[in-house]
Amino acid sequence: QGAGAAVAAVAAAEKGASTYGASTIAVAQLQGRVLDVANLGDSCFMVVRKDRVLNSMEVAFRSTSQQHKWNFPYQLLRVPPCLQVRMPKGSNPDTAADCDQYRLQVFPGDLILMFTDGVTDNLHEHEILDVIQRVCEDVDCDSSSSGTPEPSLIARAIAAAALKRSRDAVADTPFSQEALVHGINRFLGGKVDDITAVAAWVLPVTTINASTSSQVDELSPRP
């Protein structure tokens, strides 16, 4: 609990790892009205908020990618001893201490999204917003006590759209555009990659303080 809880969770995962490999990692925790996030690598999180004037979903905040150079993201690494001795001298593997840390205030009605680079490599930001908008319009939100579609529907729709795009050999994707910027023209179309998406709405929760009978407004995620 408290400030730094997200990065502490990353450190605990790093320390507790028992298998070999490498992975980016992102952890988020809602603490009252503050979203605490630790992100290592090119996974991404967004806070999406409804623009009441335009009646559309807009990105209120988005994390930035951590990369040593293009397509070489920061990541936790655990290798067997036989490979450790072959690593260049002076090399410093990334650790939890290298995470970007974010603390930002969120509000009821905000949508928190977290996803791997398999989403952001294949879908532009406006396309992610289009998917969210479509799900919100297609689902009968009036049947939900919160007035919002189940976040799992949004996560599945985003993942499905990214998967479909990854198989499109001629699609204009963020990854193919970045490749061209770096002088590489062999990465055309979608990028087949790991695709994971998680979504949660921020909802108000009213709790009763038994000793004073006063109402206290808190925030709670609905995953």
Side-chain angles (χ1 to χ4, degrees), residues 46 62 119-131 165 171-177:
M46 285 183 185
R62 177 175 178 168
V119 172
T120 49
D121 282 342
N122 287 294
L123 296 178
H124 297 278
E125 186 175 285
H126 70 87
E127 293 174 318
I128 295 173
L129 292 175
D130 287 345
V131 171
R165 180 62 58 76
D172 180 23
T173 64
F175 186 79
S176 64
Q177 289 183 357

Side-chain angles (χ1 to χ4, degrees), residues 133-151:
Q133 191 73 29
R134 185 172 64 251
V135 173
C136 289
E137 292 173 353
D138 290 347
V139 174
D140 181 9
C141 294
D142 292 336
S143 65
S144 170
S145 61
S146 66
T148 56
E150 288 295 326

Side-chain angles (χ1 to χ4, degrees), residues 2-198:
V7 73
V10 175
E14 179 183 19
K15 182 178 180 180
S18 58
T19 57
Y20 299 118
S23 178
T24 63
I25 185 170
V27 175
Q29 180 183 33
L30 185 61
Q31 303 172 334
R33 296 180 181 272
V34 176
L35 183 65
D36 179 28
V37 182
N39 187 50
L40 185 74
D42 57 2
S43 291
C44 177
F45 88 92
M46 285 183 185
V47 175
V48 179
R49 187 171 297 150
K50 188 170 186 177
D51 186 310
R52 302 298 177 182
V53 176
L54 300 176
N55 195 34
S56 62
M57 303 300 284
E58 304 293 338
V59 175
F61 187 87
R62 177 175 178 168
S63 60
T64 57
S65 177
Q66 284 184 309
Q67 303 207 31
H68 294 285
K69 59 181 181 178
W70 182 71
N71 210 27
F72 284 85
Y74 286 37
Q75 49 192 329
L76 297 180
L77 173 69
R78 186 172 186 271
V79 297
C82 62
L83 292 181
Q84 285 184 356
V85 298
R86 297 170 59 182
M87 294 179 67
K89 290 185 177 180
S91 61
N92 296 308
D94 306 320
T95 70
D98 296 308
C99 284
D100 279 341
Q101 299 182 56
Y102 304 86
R103 286 180 63 82
L104 59 148
Q105 187 174 11
V106 293
F107 302 91
D110 284 354
L111 178 65
I112 300 170
L113 296 174
M114 303 186 74
F115 31 71
T116 58
D117 64 314
V119 172
T120 49
D121 282 342
N122 287 294
L123 296 178
H124 297 278
E125 186 175 285
H126 70 87
E127 293 174 318
I128 295 173
L129 292 175
D130 287 345
V131 171
I132 298 169
Q133 191 73 29
R134 185 172 64 251
V135 173
C136 289
E137 292 173 353
D138 290 347
V139 174
D140 181 9
C141 294
D142 292 336
S143 65
S144 170
S145 61
S146 66
T148 56
E150 288 295 326
S152 60
L153 295 177
I154 295 175
R156 288 179 182 274
I158 292 173
L163 178 61
K164 182 178 180 180
R165 180 62 58 76
S166 73
R167 295 169 173 170
D168 187 336
V170 296
D172 180 23
T173 64
F175 186 79
S176 64
Q177 289 183 357
E178 283 293 316
L180 290 175
V181 169
H182 289 83
I184 304 172
N185 59 10
R186 67 177 183 273
F187 293 124
L188 302 178
K191 180 190 177 190
V192 177
D193 201 351
D194 56 288
I195 297 172
T196 301
V198 179

